[in-house]
Amino acid sequence: MTPATTPPLGDCQLCRQPKHLWPHKSKRDGLVRNLCGGCHESATLTEERGGFIDFEQASTHGSDEDLLSWL
């Protein structure tokens, strides 16, 4: 059995906090974002519900109503 490796440290691309990061590949735009555990879970649930992870994704792939929800 191999020991578990600790994920790398860095700034989360959503909350901007220095934390351990995991790659999250968006189902909507295919981009890989390095997210902390909390943001990774939140991003996954948001996409499963049909929402957008961030403003850029909403402005690029969303309707006017989706974009307004971010303003």
Side-chain angles (χ1 to χ4, degrees):
M1 181 182 278
T2 61
T5 58
T6 304
L9 285 172
D11 290 340
C12 175
Q13 288 183 272
L14 290 182
C15 70
R16 307 286 186 222
Q17 299 296 314
K19 298 182 179 181
H20 291 283
L21 303 176
W22 288 266
H24 177 274
K25 184 171 182 177
S26 172
K27 293 179 181 179
R28 190 174 296 272
D29 61 16
L31 293 177
V32 176
R33 292 168 177 85
N34 292 315
L35 306 178
C36 66
C39 288
H40 192 286
E41 180 179 354
S42 178
T44 299
L45 291 173
T46 297
E47 285 195 324
E48 285 176 359
R49 293 178 183 139
F52 296 93
I53 296 174
D54 57 19
F55 179 79
E56 182 180 339
Q57 191 181 63
S59 67
T60 304
H61 300 283
S63 66
D64 290 341
E65 287 181 17
D66 295 324
L67 187 57
L68 284 173
S69 71
W70 278 92
L71 298 177

